[in-house]
Amino acid sequence: MDLEFSAIMNKNSLVISNLYVQTNDGKEILHGVSLRIKKGEIHAIMGPNGSGKSTLAQALMGNPNYIITRGKIKIDGIDVTKLSPDKRAQYGLFLGFQDPVEIPGVNFGSFLRMAVNENKKKEKRISPIAFRKQLLEQADVFAFKKDILSRNLNEGFSGGEKKKSEILQLSLLKPVYAILDEPDSGLDIDGLKFIARTISSLSHKFGLALITHYQRILKFIKPDFIHVLVDGKIAETGDYVLVKKIEKKGYRQYIKN
Amino acid sequence: MKIEPIKKNNYKLGFSKPDTSIFKLPKGINKKIVETISYYKNEPDWMRKFRLRAFEIFENKMMPSWGADLSGINFRDFYYFISPTDKKFNNWKDVPYDIKNTYEKIGIPQAEQKMLAGVGAQYDSEVIYNNLKKQWEKQGVIFCDPDTAVQKYPDIVKHYFGTVIGPEDNKFAALNSAVWSGGSFIYVPKNVQVTIPLQAYFRINSASFGQFERTLIIAEERSCVHYIEGCSAPIYSKESMHAGVVEIIVKKGARVKYTTIQNWSNNVYNLVTKRMVIEEDGIGEWVDGNIGSKATMKYPCLILKGKGAKGEILSLAFASNGQHQDTGGKAIHLAPYTTSNIVAKSVSVKGGKSSFRGLVKIVKGAHNSRSYMRCNALILDKLSCAQTFPAHIVDENNTILEHEATVSKIGEKQLFYLMSRGLSEQQATSLIVNGFIEPIVKELPLEYAVELNRLIELSMEGAIG
């Protein structure tokens, strides 16, 4: 691949190259992970518990507890490896948390409006009234009760509400690339279908890295690529056929020793 | 002692005392100064004696050996009485830059900025004040400064003054009793409900932000009043000590709420004694916010004297660089079926120190009483610290006591979550801090709450990293 071509490829992609990540106490979790997610593509990242899926998500977003020792993260050609989480967000990256933290006393609506405004630095800021209208519409789509506006961020949200709130935030913030860390965990089949449907119906075009332990959500969201992460490395990459293989044989086939 | 010549009063603006002549006593305190203050105010003999007795107590009292570091206080360095007109006009040029800057940043109109800095008075509110005043007077409500009250309502003042907090209480209460000037006097007759909060703001004159202000509130049976004083914007004071006394009497079935936000400039020692006696089925509430000063020692107290009396203290302390907020609350249960609720929140940042002291005392015979005390401290960086000193003295078996205390650092998870949505570290921190104090801020009138939020955002500047 010549340099020019590679530059064009990078321009519309989230590129993770040869990423090594360790925890604060020096334990290496990821040993050289590479991925390229183009805008409009859906990538499923699967793997057994403890394989490093969440570490990858956290490291991509810039959680200071996960230290990148080697490798690079580029958003549309811009190296964000050393940038703080807010800068990465402003370059278009979003992380849907597996278990979002409760923030007492912080109003959900006001927080979201602040976030939306921060992510559109150059454009005109959205007025509180216009934002309220938008949020109420979206809340309706996500089958939230109207009182969501007066509630505090994730505080007292049920498991299902927390999951929905993450996707609602995704729909309003309109990132270019989104990582969703197990958006399906802890949901019953109806909850799962609902989440999957709302993710698929998001109107704006973005690249998606969907981290999941189970294949069941992939029945409702068809990924373009499947990556199997085992022991901090991508063990196999393929298309939907790979899901069938995992369904049959489990992750055991990848585990050596 | 040299007394400067008394000049004819030229002060016509506003509604402060008419006899505001330029009058200044030398620095320091002695018996003669105390007598001169009383003489100047043309006080009755009982008040003069009260002051002199208090001065004697002040002289013999030790400084508190606990709490904030007060070693910087030298009683000889203060003026104990400056007449209002003389004090009023600080020079705007002398107001420190950072205080002016804060006014700008929190968006306070210029006229109000000057009032807060002690440069001028707030005249715009005069019309509103006078209209409200008519309403109150119709209902028999008295709302004036205590100097006026001593002259106009001597019987009521004499009956209650110093009965809740005597000069014996502590050194600063004694000092205040000896040299007090200004403050508020409120009397609400039986069955009268004052629907609009009484605000010191309405009758701002130089005396209102005095150093040794004295507040006395009497709510007769089944009456109701909410008093609000102070403001969240910094108040610039050239004088570096504020020793106030607040006494409140809540009669049977009455309800009093007292809201204070104090943000003295950071050269001020803020040492205030506040106490409320609540009689049968009465309700008393303190909302107390301290965001300024060099050192604050203030523990609003509830004395639950009558059966079924209820009391609540909400306390908020914000300690920044070079500040020590030593605050808290006390509840003394003297009668059965009494309840108290103390909730304190403190935030320490940029090397600030906050200490919480909570005392709940339930005496023998105050059966079926219950008390809930909660203290949450939030520390924002490694330079800052927080302490909690809760105490319970219970001499009655049949009571319920709950206590909860947490000291926490700002949550890394919370910071990361907010930053992952595009908020800067500073924005995220402000949001978390404002969320933390929200349970108390929501009890404040809206304009205070808005100002307070902006002020806290401002205090966060440069606090990170």
Side-chain angles (χ1 to χ4, degrees):
Chain A
M1 202 189 302
D2 65 61
L3 273 173
E4 211 171 305
F5 179 66
S6 145
I8 292 163
M9 288 287 290
N10 283 345
K11 208 139 195 210
N12 281 308
S13 305
L14 168 66
V15 178
I16 302 151
S17 46
N18 200 26
L19 206 65
Y20 283 75
V21 175
Q22 63 181 39
T23 56
N24 258 343
D25 45 21
K27 191 179 173 222
E28 193 174 273
I29 310 280
L30 300 182
H31 322 284
V33 172
S34 298
L35 282 172
R36 179 196 299 271
I37 298 166
K38 279 197 246 172
K39 203 174 166 181
E41 286 178 350
I42 299 175
H43 291 239
I45 299 165
M46 305 184 69
N49 288 330
S51 60
K53 301 190 298 292
S54 283
T55 299
L56 178 63
Q58 298 287 317
L60 288 178
M61 199 67 235
N63 185 332
N65 289 326
Y66 296 90
I67 300 146
I68 297 170
T69 51
R70 271 170 74 186
K72 274 195 167 50
I73 304 162
K74 283 185 179 177
I75 300 172
D76 294 340
I78 297 156
D79 187 348
V80 299
T81 321
K82 293 200 170 87
L83 297 184
S84 58
D86 52 323
K87 292 282 174 328
R88 297 182 196 205
Q90 284 156 19
Y91 281 117
L93 193 62
F94 178 90
L95 170 61
F97 286 75
Q98 190 183 138
D99 185 20
V101 62
E102 301 193 356
I103 308 189
V106 174
N107 176 272
F108 184 66
S110 320
F111 149 74
L112 256 179
R113 185 161 61 89
M114 201 168 166
V116 166
N117 280 328
E118 280 314 305
N119 287 305
K120 49 163 76 181
K121 280 259 143 102
K122 280 168 201 147
E123 295 165 56
K124 230 180 120 201
R125 299 187 144 233
I126 186 164
S127 81
I129 295 162
F131 180 76
R132 193 188 146 86
K133 193 166 163 264
Q134 222 182 76
L135 180 56
L136 276 175
E137 274 168 19
Q138 282 302 308
D140 198 44
V141 171
F142 284 81
F144 271 114
K145 291 189 190 111
K146 287 266 186 297
D147 73 348
I148 186 77
L149 286 179
S150 55
R151 288 171 72 181
N152 289 332
L153 185 49
N154 298 328
E155 199 182 24
F157 282 26
S158 70
E161 281 178 322
K162 280 186 176 175
K163 298 290 190 195
K164 283 201 293 188
S165 147
E166 294 294 290
I167 310 301
L168 172 67
Q169 292 179 48
L170 167 61
S171 79
L172 287 167
L173 291 169
K174 298 190 171 41
V176 192
Y177 304 100
I179 310 144
L180 296 179
D181 191 1
E182 303 204 8
D184 51 342
S185 63
L187 294 180
D188 60 24
I189 187 68
D190 293 327
L192 176 82
K193 274 188 190 166
F194 186 85
I195 279 284
R197 211 169 50 227
T198 45
I199 295 172
S200 320
S201 66
L202 288 174
S203 55
H204 80 287
K205 194 180 169 194
F206 65 102
L208 174 63
L210 181 67
I211 294 174
T212 178
H213 179 76
Y214 299 107
Q215 51 276 20
R216 53 178 197 166
I217 194 173
L218 304 179
K219 288 197 177 101
F220 307 102
I221 302 174
K222 286 280 179 313
D224 303 299
F225 299 94
I226 309 270
H227 309 276
V228 183
L229 187 70
V230 179
D231 283 337
K233 278 182 172 169
I234 305 267
E236 193 175 358
T237 291
D239 60 11
Y240 195 71
V241 178
L242 206 50
V243 178
K244 295 268 171 337
K245 190 174 152 191
I246 295 165
E247 207 166 339
K248 252 183 218 158
K249 299 186 188 165
Y251 293 115
R252 206 170 298 164
Q253 55 181 316
Y254 299 105
I255 298 166
K256 289 152 203 159
N257 75 25
Chain B
M1 182 182 19
K2 184 176 163 260
I3 297 172
E4 289 177 27
I6 293 172
K7 288 178 191 159
K8 197 176 173 332
N9 172 38
N10 288 321
Y11 179 66
K12 292 200 181 83
L13 301 164
F15 34 84
S16 55
K17 293 197 311 297
D19 58 337
T20 44
S21 314
I22 292 170
F23 177 79
K24 192 174 183 175
L25 292 174
K27 272 185 187 178
I29 182 166
N30 55 45
K31 197 174 162 190
K32 206 149 185 203
I33 295 257
V34 176
E35 274 191 326
T36 312
I37 292 170
S38 187
Y39 175 77
Y40 173 79
K41 289 173 179 281
N42 199 16
E43 286 177 347
D45 201 43
W46 60 268
M47 183 54 82
R48 190 181 63 91
K49 283 183 178 152
F50 177 85
R51 287 182 185 273
L52 287 171
R53 189 170 72 87
F55 174 66
E56 230 169 82
I57 294 166
F58 165 74
E59 284 212 298
N60 294 319
K61 277 263 180 204
M62 303 288 282
M63 288 287 269
S65 56
W66 49 277
D69 176 12
L70 304 178
S71 59
I73 294 177
N74 188 342
F75 290 105
R76 274 173 306 191
D77 284 349
F78 302 119
Y79 288 105
Y80 289 86
F81 184 74
I82 302 166
S83 87
T85 37
D86 192 31
K87 201 171 118 194
K88 167 154 300 188
F89 301 108
N90 286 337
N91 198 329
W92 180 244
K93 275 187 289 187
D94 298 338
V95 178
Y97 171 74
D98 57 336
I99 290 195
K100 287 181 185 167
N101 200 23
T102 305
Y103 291 153
E104 286 298 326
K105 285 190 176 167
I106 59 177
I108 291 177
Q110 181 114 54
E112 201 176 328
Q113 291 184 18
K114 294 201 166 171
M115 183 270 293
L116 292 169
V119 176
Q122 173 80 13
Y123 306 117
D124 300 348
S125 59
E126 195 186 350
V127 179
I128 307 166
Y129 168 76
N130 283 330
N131 284 336
L132 290 173
K133 204 175 151 196
K134 272 181 208 150
Q135 281 184 33
W136 301 325
E137 278 171 356
K138 234 186 264 167
Q139 294 179 303
V141 175
I142 303 167
F143 179 31
C144 60
D145 65 75
D147 300 275
T148 306
V150 168
Q151 303 299 335
K152 281 178 80 176
Y153 315 100
D155 294 345
I156 309 176
V157 179
K158 193 179 173 186
H159 192 254
Y160 293 104
F161 199 93
T163 57
V164 183
I165 301 166
E168 309 77 12
D169 198 84
N170 65 72
K171 194 171 179 78
F172 296 97
L175 178 62
N176 174 286
S177 300
V179 300
W180 70 267
S181 247
S184 285
F185 173 80
I186 296 170
Y187 177 84
V188 187
K190 207 166 162 177
N191 296 327
V192 170
Q193 316 279 316
V194 183
T195 47
I196 299 169
L198 299 183
Q199 298 204 37
Y201 183 87
F202 287 137
R203 37 167 226 74
I204 292 296
N205 57 31
S206 51
S208 298
F209 291 142
Q211 276 178 273
F212 303 105
E213 61 193 321
R214 185 95 193 184
T215 292
L216 176 60
I217 300 175
I218 301 129
E220 291 286 3
E221 287 184 16
R222 291 179 302 280
S223 69
C224 172
V225 66
H226 182 188
Y227 175 71
I228 301 170
E229 62 134 41
C231 72
S232 43
I235 294 169
Y236 172 58
S237 169
K238 279 196 291 191
E239 319 305 332
S240 58
M241 184 165 53
H242 173 245
V245 166
V246 180
E247 301 178 280
I248 300 177
I249 294 133
V250 185
K251 296 276 182 76
K252 188 175 172 182
R255 179 171 192 161
V256 176
K257 183 172 181 176
Y258 187 108
T259 301
T260 326
I261 293 291
Q262 278 181 325
N263 189 0
W264 294 96
S265 45
N266 57 14
N267 57 325
V268 174
Y269 288 95
N270 187 26
L271 310 159
V272 182
T273 313
K274 299 170 92 168
R275 197 169 300 160
M276 179 168 338
V277 173
I278 308 162
E279 293 178 4
E280 196 177 323
D281 294 325
I283 300 174
E285 297 159 89
W286 294 109
V287 179
D288 197 68
N290 297 290
I291 40 182
S293 86
K294 178 189 183 117
T296 297
M297 283 176 77
K298 198 204 276 180
Y299 323 94
C301 174
L302 304 161
I303 297 175
L304 302 150
K305 194 181 162 194
K307 187 177 160 188
K310 288 187 180 65
E312 183 169 64
I313 302 168
L314 297 177
S315 162
L316 170 67
F318 192 91
S320 187
N321 186 20
Q323 296 182 316
H324 184 185
Q325 303 287 10
D326 201 294
T327 59
K330 293 190 268 190
I332 320 286
H333 295 249
L334 300 178
Y337 301 99
T338 48
T339 55
S340 67
N341 201 4
I342 301 173
V343 178
K345 299 234 173 202
S346 74
V347 179
S348 310
V349 61
K350 293 189 220 170
K353 181 177 175 185
S354 53
S355 313
F356 166 79
R357 287 169 212 278
L359 169 71
V360 174
K361 187 175 177 179
I362 301 180
V363 303
K364 186 104 194 110
H367 56 84
N368 291 292
S369 290
R370 57 193 304 165
S371 173
Y372 173 71
M373 175 153 69
R374 191 174 90 192
C375 159
N376 306 122
L378 183 67
I379 303 173
L380 295 192
D381 51 42
K382 286 191 183 115
L383 298 168
S384 308
C385 75
Q387 304 166 312
T388 66
F389 304 99
H392 294 102
I393 304 165
V394 181
D395 295 323
E396 173 62 50
N397 290 327
N398 189 10
T399 56
I400 299 172
L401 213 73
E402 287 173 88
H403 171 238
E404 178 194 313
T406 63
V407 176
S408 52
K409 285 184 192 149
I410 195 134
E412 277 182 9
K413 267 187 170 178
Q414 296 179 336
L415 260 186
F416 176 57
Y417 185 84
L418 294 175
M419 287 177 74
S420 80
R421 299 303 186 242
L423 307 188
S424 69
E425 187 167 2
Q426 195 174 307
Q427 286 174 316
T429 309
S430 298
L431 217 52
I432 294 167
V433 171
N434 278 321
F436 172 77
I437 62 172
E438 189 261 359
I440 291 175
V441 172
K442 76 176 179 208
E443 295 296 320
L444 299 175
L446 185 66
E447 65 270 28
Y448 288 76
V450 170
E451 228 165 65
L452 196 63
N453 281 354
R454 273 183 291 181
L455 201 72
I456 281 168
E457 271 160 37
L458 211 62
S459 312
M460 290 300 145
E461 275 181 12
I464 312 297

